[in-house]
Every structure is written in structure tokens, then in C-alpha cells.
Amino acid sequence: MSAPTLSLITAKLAEWAPLELAESWDNVGLLVGDPACTASRIMTCLTLSEDVADEAIAEHVDLIVTHHPLPFRPLTRIVTDRPEGRILWKLIGQQIAIYSAHTAYDSAASGVNQQWAQRLELTEIAPLVASEQAPTVGTGRVGLVAGQATLASFAEQVCEALEFARLRVVGSDAQIIRKVAIACGSGGSLFQAAIAAGVDVIVTGEATFHDLLAARAAEMAVVLTGHFASERFAVESLAAQIAREFPSIAVWPSRHETDPVRTIP
């Protein structure tokens, strides 16, 4: 069986995460590459850092599907004295294509936030901010916990869902949790929508100090997982989804990617 073209692969990615769902400031789609070229080896990652790029080159990857776009903002030059330029120069030199769906994948029907809500076994799941294109998709998610939980027990559930035991929280351990919002990555911009929706807690990767103060003032609890932990699992599931759709090609999540933040005991 011949390898599929980038055009075919990216069309399927755009079907799973329609690019029109992306935020206006985002940079999504095929960012580097020739749509007519074929791809027999694909690697997914959260962020296209230099060590991830080196892994892709060593593994003879044809396409990198990265959650965070590279380039993200417009570039006036690609030079190797800057990290973005070095990475792009290396990958272009090896004819490795780059695709990102980013906030489109965050908001998609089976995207990052939906996967989060399902991992936490929420019910009555709906977008926190519905898309104008379709009310069943949109930014963030909101849902109900099964039964009733305290912030302490809910935080334990988040740890179990991530296999990750180091969280930061805003709120009292005894606070009752019934309605939950999800905002992967940096979710501070969705705090006001969550407060307006009457949620008891929002789960996100990171937020600013002042956003956290606003949440506390509104008596909305916050569970912070760290940016990496809030999204990395979704690029792993995306690799598995691509592999199922295109069984003739090799697909895997980056094996070298790590959280840049480490915790000191």
C-alpha cells in the first residue's frame, strides 16, 4: 500500500479538528511542506522544541503534527541565531513538514477539552463558549460530576486521570464541587465565562496570579495541572487516531518531549 499524501492526511486532520474553530490569533493548518509529497512516518508532539526536531530528523519523520504552532507569529526571516529559525532551518533542510491544529483541536468535538471532560467522567458535557458555526463544539467544556465531590476528592480524581500527582489549587478542600469547567493550556481568558456559567471549579493548565485572585473572589475553585500535563495526553491519543486511520504508516508521539518545568521535592 502506497503512503498517503500530506494533502490526504491534513484533510483528515482538518476533518477531526475543523480549522475554522481556531481562535483568530492562531496559526493553524499545514505550516511547512508540499501537500503533494507523501508521508510514511509521522510524529506528534505538544511543542516543537529543538530536541523534538532533532528526534524527528533522527527518526526520518516526514510530518510533525505539533499542537503548538511553529511558526506561531509571522516571521520576517528564518535565521539560525534564534531558536525558531534553527528549528525551521533544520526541518526544511530535511523536507519535514509541520502541521498544527492548536485551538481548533482544543475546541473540536473530540478534541482536547472534550477528552478532558470524558477522562473526568463528567455528564451533560457542553462547550463553555459555544462556536458560532455549531453549538456542539466550542471553547472549553462544562459538565457535571457524578454525584457530589469536595475540592479535595475532585483534585484526587484529576491526579488519577493524568497519572500526575502534583497539582496546585485555589479554594477550600471542603468546597462542594458539582459543576466543572475545563480549559486546557492557559485558561485564564475563560475564567469570566466559567464564573458566569456558575461553575464550582475550573481545571486548567496555568493562569495568571490576578486571574486566580478573581476566581477566589468569585468563590470559584481552580485546579492547575501545569500546561504540559493539561495537553500532552491529547497528542498521544491523536497519534493513535492517525495510526488507526492510516494503518500503512508509522505514527507515534514524541519520545523525547518533556515538561520544561520540574518540581523540586
Side-chain angles (χ1 to χ4, degrees), residues 4 18 51 68 93 97 103 183 191 212 225 236-237 256 262:
D51 54 343
H68 298 137
T103 53
F191 277 23
L212 298 175
T225 67
E236 296 171 0
S237 66
H256 292 186
R262 64 185 182 88

Side-chain angles (χ1 to χ4, degrees), residues 38-84:
T38 59
S40 60
R41 295 175 67 79
I42 298 176
M43 186 175 76
T44 65
C45 66
L46 181 60
T47 305
L48 221 176
S49 57
E50 200 154 358
D51 54 343
V52 172
D54 289 341
E55 177 186 0
I57 292 168
E59 294 289 344
H60 306 289
V61 165
D62 301 304
L63 170 65
I64 299 171
V65 180
T66 177
H67 190 61
H68 298 137
L70 185 74
F72 183 23
R73 296 178 178 84
L75 298 175
T76 56
R77 65 194 69 192
I78 298 175
V79 291
T80 59
D81 60 355
R82 297 190 60 82
E84 298 90 343

Side-chain angles (χ1 to χ4, degrees), residues 44-170:
T44 65
C45 66
L46 181 60
T47 305
L48 221 176
S49 57
E50 200 154 358
D51 54 343
V52 172
D54 289 341
E55 177 186 0
I57 292 168
E59 294 289 344
H60 306 289
V61 165
D62 301 304
L63 170 65
I64 299 171
V65 180
T66 177
H67 190 61
H68 298 137
L70 185 74
F72 183 23
R73 296 178 178 84
L75 298 175
T76 56
R77 65 194 69 192
I78 298 175
V79 291
T80 59
D81 60 355
R82 297 190 60 82
E84 298 90 343
R86 272 197 308 275
I87 293 168
L88 289 169
W89 184 255
K90 286 180 181 181
L91 296 178
I92 292 170
Q94 296 295 319
Q95 297 187 326
I96 298 175
I98 303 170
Y99 182 95
S100 171
H102 199 203
T103 53
Y105 188 39
D106 289 345
S107 297
S110 298
V112 185
N113 286 310
Q114 182 70 21
Q115 291 178 46
W116 247 123
Q118 292 168 344
R119 278 173 166 244
L120 295 177
E121 300 179 343
L122 302 183
T123 62
E124 300 184 31
I125 301 167
L128 178 58
V129 180
S131 167
E132 294 180 1
Q133 286 84 4
T136 58
V137 295
T139 307
R141 288 294 185 273
V142 63
L144 303 178
V145 298
Q148 187 169 282
T150 63
L151 179 57
S153 65
F154 178 74
E156 289 179 6
Q157 186 181 357
V158 174
C159 284
E160 291 171 2
L162 285 177
E163 299 179 358
F164 179 78
R166 297 185 183 275
L167 301 178
R168 294 185 297 158
V169 300
V170 172

